[in-house]
Amino acid sequence: MWKAMNETLKVIQRRRSIRAYRPEQIANQELEAILEAAIWAPSAMNQQKWHFTVIQNKDMLQRITDVAREVMKAGPERMAQRAASPDFSPFFHAPTVIVITGDSTGRFVRIDCSLAAQNIALAAESLNIGSCIMTSPELIFESEKGQELLEELGVPEGYAHVCTVALGYMDGERPPAKPRKKEVISYIRS
Ligand SMILES: Cc1cc2nc3c(=O)[nH]c(=O)nc-3n(C[C@H](O)[C@H](O)[C@H](O)COP(=O)(O)O)c2cc1C
């Protein structure tokens, strides 16, 4: 598949969704570079109607975890079981969590936010920092308590959760690559 290779392509190839993190915090300089990459993502008509809430506060992460546990308890069996584990963390114990919200009225805002999320993941990988883009925190943030948390976090009015990115130094090796479908590309050529 990879018929050409350079530093950018290597980073794309190397990135994995990481679900085990070391507890130490990532360096501020690294975080700032990752956030810069986020806001350099393209957005429809350059509207940039996104917001990035960086959470590194342990108490706040615990409070989000508590809401997640409550919400997931009422969910399907597998979800309830995961939440019941004493070691449960919706973000796999990542020390940095970026909640990406976007203006709910914008037609393309979910795409804009997704592109920013991928920039975050690739910038992180380029710095040897693990990431996991997640939509499951939607369950947390659409609950009443989750909505209150978003407000407390200072998310702009009218903005809704699009995805959350967990970030941290990887605990161990990157997992093996998940298989990719090859038949999803078609060419229309003369
Ligand atoms: C839109 C989106 C939502 C995702 N949501 C979750 C999630 O809620 N929890 C999770 O552990 N991984 C989540 N992932 C990660 C995917 O499971 C992962 O990207 C996929 O299995 C391919 O593995 P890779 O990222 O390591 O290449 C999500 C990825 C995307 C793009």
Side-chain angles (χ1 to χ4, degrees), residues 18-23 91-95 130-132 166-169 171:
I18 299 300
R19 299 187 178 88
Y21 296 93
R22 301 213 307 263
F91 311 119
F92 312 105
H93 300 287
S131 70
C132 188
L167 283 178
Y169 299 127
D171 188 15

Side-chain angles (χ1 to χ4, degrees), residues 12-19 82 90 92 114 118 131-138 162-164 175-180:
I12 292 171
Q13 187 185 36
R14 225 170 46 217
R15 184 212 56 82
R16 301 280 182 277
S17 292
I18 299 300
R19 299 187 178 88
R82 191 182 155 214
F92 312 105
S114 308
Q118 178 70 342
S131 70
C132 188
I133 297 173
M134 282 177 284
T135 49
S136 54
E138 192 116 312
V162 175
C163 62
T164 293
K178 299 241 182 94
R180 259 45 180 185

Side-chain angles (χ1 to χ4, degrees), residues 58-183:
K58 285 189 177 144
D59 289 340
M60 179 50 78
L61 289 173
Q62 187 55 52
R63 284 176 59 200
I64 298 173
T65 300
D66 293 343
V67 176
R69 196 175 259 131
E70 214 177 294
V71 172
M72 288 169 70
K73 228 168 45 187
E77 176 69 18
R78 225 170 63 104
M79 199 188 266
Q81 261 177 12
R82 191 182 155 214
S85 156
D87 193 38
F88 168 69
S89 157
F91 311 119
F92 312 105
H93 300 287
T96 295
V97 168
I98 305 179
V99 178
I100 307 181
T101 49
D103 182 344
S104 312
T105 62
R107 182 165 170 212
F108 301 115
V109 163
R110 291 180 76 84
I111 297 177
D112 301 339
C113 291
S114 308
L115 296 170
Q118 178 70 342
N119 267 17
I120 289 174
L122 293 178
E125 176 57 53
S126 75
L127 296 167
N128 257 319
I129 291 170
S131 70
C132 188
I133 297 173
M134 282 177 284
T135 49
S136 54
E138 192 116 312
L139 266 181
I140 307 172
F141 295 118
E142 69 190 9
S143 72
E144 202 179 317
K145 283 192 181 156
Q147 287 285 320
E148 284 166 15
L149 280 176
L150 285 185
E151 213 171 294
E152 190 179 331
L153 289 168
V155 166
E157 182 130 0
Y159 277 43
H161 176 263
V162 175
C163 62
T164 293
V165 190
L167 283 178
Y169 299 127
M170 302 168 218
D171 188 15
E173 296 297 305
R174 287 173 188 77
K178 299 241 182 94
R180 259 45 180 185
K181 295 179 184 171
K182 302 279 159 77
E183 70 281 8

